[in-house]
Amino acid sequence: MLPPLLLLLLLLLQLPHSWSSPPFQTSQDFTRCLFSQNSTVATHTNLIYTPASPKYSLLLQSTIRDARFNTTLAPKPSVIVTPTSLSQIQASVHCSREHGLQLRVRSGGHDYEGLSYTSPYPNYPFVVLDLVNFRNISVDVPEKTAWVQSGAILGELYHRIGEASPNLAFPAGSCHTVGVGGHFSGGGFGFLMRKFGLAADNVLDAVLIDSKGSVLDRASMGEDMKGDCQEMSWLEAMVFHAGFPSNSSVDVLLDRTISPLVGSFKYKSKSDYVQDAVPKAALLKIWGKLFETDVGGGIILMALTR
Ligand SMILES: *[C@@H]1O[C@H](CO)[C@@H](O)[C@H](O)[C@H]1NC(C)=O
Ligand SMILES: *[C@@H]1O[C@H](CO)[C@@H](O)[C@H](O)[C@H]1NC(C)=O
Ligand SMILES: *[C@@H]1O[C@H](CO)[C@@H](O)[C@H](O)[C@H]1NC(C)=O
Ligand SMILES: *[C@@H]1O[C@H](CO)[C@@H](O)[C@H](O)[C@H]1NC(C)=O
């Protein structure tokens, strides 16, 4: 069986939501701002494409997979930026905020909804940050890890891993044109997930730029999540999920007569599979029922099967 390759540099970008104040700005304002940010921007020739650039249409269409958005009517970016450095991405984030432009990030562009290159809001100008130049991949076979940049497609990642070792793999999707950044940030499911989990489960570190333009990695982000977690052995987890205090002896599992909940309060418990997400109003109704005096408390475990 293939061990999973543990990953990676992931360049994920939070999108600024700046369209509550949408003064229409021309692409020139944005471009001028970008040049004023960093002199290395100015020396980069193939960085900025506006509708007036000869290669604009070709670049925009290059990764469109859905013909619905490949029309003259589909809203188009005021500017496409193809950065080659972190500072150019930071400058793009800063300038799109400064000029009230939405920022849309494109890694592979495979998304069928067109979220990375068009907009459902015709009146809000936007910039496409196309990460086509962010596609370096380095595989460390002894460590069984790799760094991959956000604009690499899954096909490139698989190919590089396979070249490095026939015994390594990475659990992600089956469509090879999907960009790593969008795929992993959405979870990323694929054929190896029943054994190895989602792509996101195998991400060890990530370098990302937030909506203020700050560069963060795992250490500087801190382990802010996921704070709610306690590390324990599988056996201890079985004691914990049975409802015993987390420092209980694992020997409680051998006792057929005790249950941590029985006797302490009255409750009803139900585990079920659901086909659709339960609306909030329905959940509130269920809670109301469970907290009626003749019940007292309740536990619901639901697995979404769709
Ligand atoms: C989008 O349009 C261009 C130019 O008309 C064409 O070359 C390309 O094949 C189209 N792509 C899709 C996915 O429809
Ligand atoms: C400008 O960009 C270069 C190269 O990416 C980077 O090393 C430098 O720190 C940047 N300067 C500023 C002021 O952001
Ligand atoms: C990709 O790697 C090459 C070779 O190390 C380097 O010159 C280039 O700057 C890297 N590109 C990015 C976007 O990091
Ligand atoms: C578990 O921890 C609680 C709170 O710290 C303590 O009161 C209790 O005695 C502990 N129980 C065991 C079995 O160690």
Side-chain angles (χ1 to χ4, degrees):
M1 201 58 212
L2 306 172
L5 195 84
L6 305 173
L7 271 225
L8 62 124
L9 157 80
L10 178 61
L11 249 175
L12 298 178
L13 300 138
Q14 266 180 2
L15 308 185
H17 285 275
S18 52
W19 35 286
S20 51
S21 56
F24 182 80
Q25 299 287 342
T26 62
S27 57
Q28 283 97 319
D29 288 336
F30 176 84
T31 306
R32 225 174 279 130
C33 171
L34 211 56
F35 283 134
S36 73
Q37 287 298 299
N38 190 317
S39 59
T40 66
V41 168
T43 58
H44 186 85
T45 43
N46 300 316
L47 177 69
I48 294 165
Y49 300 81
T50 66
S53 317
K55 289 189 181 154
Y56 171 90
S57 292
L58 210 58
L59 179 61
L60 181 62
Q61 289 162 1
S62 63
T63 63
I64 294 182
R65 307 281 162 209
D66 190 328
R68 282 182 303 163
F69 304 121
N70 198 25
T71 67
T72 47
L73 289 179
K76 306 224 170 358
S78 308
V79 185
I80 305 174
V81 186
T82 56
T84 53
S85 70
L86 285 180
S87 62
Q88 290 168 359
I89 299 176
Q90 289 175 293
S92 304
V93 171
H94 172 82
C95 294
S96 57
R97 282 181 82 102
E98 181 111 341
H99 292 290
L101 291 150
Q102 287 188 18
L103 190 65
R104 293 184 170 256
V105 184
R106 178 157 84 171
S107 291
H110 175 109
D111 69 305
Y112 289 153
E113 312 313 324
L115 298 173
S116 61
Y117 57 81
T118 187
S119 169
Y121 312 106
N123 297 324
Y124 294 105
F126 65 100
V127 171
V128 165
L129 191 61
D130 192 325
L131 298 177
V132 63
N133 294 319
F134 268 79
R135 58 208 286 186
N136 285 345
I137 299 167
S138 60
V139 181
D140 184 332
V141 173
E143 287 292 317
K144 296 184 190 154
T145 61
W147 283 98
V148 56
Q149 291 183 331
S150 180
I153 58 171
L154 292 179
E156 290 172 319
L157 177 62
Y158 296 159
H159 198 274
R160 295 293 301 276
I161 293 170
E163 269 172 1
S165 164
N167 298 318
L168 291 174
F170 186 75
S174 53
C175 287
H176 81 285
T177 59
V178 173
V180 159
H183 187 61
F184 294 3
S185 57
F189 75 74
F191 292 131
L192 293 177
M193 73 178 175
R194 291 191 69 172
K195 189 166 173 66
F196 297 113
L198 301 173
D201 293 322
N202 294 278
V203 174
L204 299 178
D205 202 347
V207 176
L208 60 84
I209 296 175
D210 71 10
S211 58
K212 297 198 172 75
S214 307
V215 180
L216 302 170
D217 64 4
R218 180 177 180 162
S220 57
M221 272 183 271
E223 306 284 330
D224 62 337
M225 301 308 276
K226 296 161 211 131
D228 295 330
C229 298
Q230 296 171 35
E231 196 165 334
M232 59 182 76
S233 70
W234 172 77
L235 185 56
E236 287 162 351
M238 293 304 101
V239 174
F240 177 79
H241 284 295
F244 292 101
S246 58
N247 58 357
S248 303
S249 160
V250 296
D251 293 345
V252 295
L253 295 176
L254 301 175
D255 190 327
R256 303 170 74 99
T257 64
I258 61 164
S259 162
L261 297 180
V262 169
S264 51
F265 64 97
K266 291 191 287 183
Y267 68 97
K268 162 69 181 163
S269 184
K270 177 67 185 163
S271 304
D272 210 348
Y273 300 96
V274 290
Q275 300 282 321
D276 293 295
V278 179
K280 193 174 173 185
L283 283 174
L284 290 173
K285 219 165 163 179
I286 294 170
W287 284 126
K289 199 85 190 148
L290 290 171
F291 283 100
E292 280 173 1
T293 46
D294 61 335
V295 180
I299 298 167
I300 311 174
L301 297 176
M302 286 182 286
L304 191 63
T305 60
R306 189 168 54 85

